[in-house]
Amino acid sequence: MARILVLHGPNLNLLGIREPEHYGTLRLSEIDRQISDLAGKEGVAVEIFQSNSEGALVDRIQQALGKFDALVINPAAYTHTSIAIRDAILSVGIPTIEVHLSNIHSREAFRRTSLISDVVVGQVSGFGPQSYLLGFLGAIEYLRGPVQIRKGRKKGEGK
Ligand code: DQA
């Protein structure tokens, strides 16, 4: 069974209360419940961890070595500042999906830079709590095998 570790960074424990115009009104516990339900439906094992501390997140990424097949991470503000989290992801070499509730590319300029975006499989940003579910499904699909994108055919072209 595939094992996926979901990591939430700083201030995400205040979801539901915190800046609802950016992050919605759902609490983190409800998002975690939805992730666990999805894991159950898809037949994968999931563990979820939140910390406000950069070091604790680095520790969990390191401890994931040999225990998890993929990471889904919302590093929150550390997205824009943490070389340590980037290095930890590179060190363990576990395929990682980056998620953000808000669209970090449509907000303040400093949020447009992610220090992990070039070392992750992909980024899901801007779909609210759904970003986690889409990112989680992305991790599962990635583990199941290469994504085959069929090119659209123009009218009149053969099969
Ligand atoms: C966030 C975006 C970050 O810029 C911000 O610091 C967060 C949350 C998001 O999920 O949209 O704390 O990662």
Side-chain angles (χ1 to χ4, degrees), residues 3-7 47 57-58 60-65 67-74 85 88-90 92-99 116 120-122 135-136 138-140 142-143:
R3 302 152 302 173
I4 299 176
L5 176 64
V6 177
L7 294 170
E47 219 171 283
L57 293 163
V58 168
R60 285 304 290 245
I61 294 168
Q62 290 187 6
Q63 288 157 9
L65 192 58
K67 295 202 185 84
F68 290 94
D69 304 299
L71 307 176
V72 173
I73 184 168
N74 182 352
I85 289 177
I89 291 169
L90 282 171
V92 295
I94 301 172
T96 299
I97 316 289
E98 175 183 359
V99 303
I116 67 166
V120 297
V121 173
F136 195 78
I140 294 170
Y142 180 84
L143 294 173

Side-chain angles (χ1 to χ4, degrees), residues 57 100 126 157:
L57 293 163
H100 300 283
E157 272 182 5

Side-chain angles (χ1 to χ4, degrees), residues 98-144:
E98 175 183 359
V99 303
H100 300 283
L101 296 137
S102 64
N103 179 353
I104 59 170
H105 304 284
S106 70
R107 299 181 60 194
E108 302 97 319
F110 66 85
R111 289 186 208 277
R112 283 181 213 142
T113 302
S114 161
L115 295 189
I116 67 166
S117 63
D118 60 321
V119 300
V120 297
V121 173
Q123 183 191 74
V124 183
S125 182
F127 295 92
Q130 285 285 335
S131 289
Y132 280 101
L133 304 180
L134 294 168
F136 195 78
L137 282 172
I140 294 170
E141 287 303 317
Y142 180 84
L143 294 173
R144 284 183 182 152

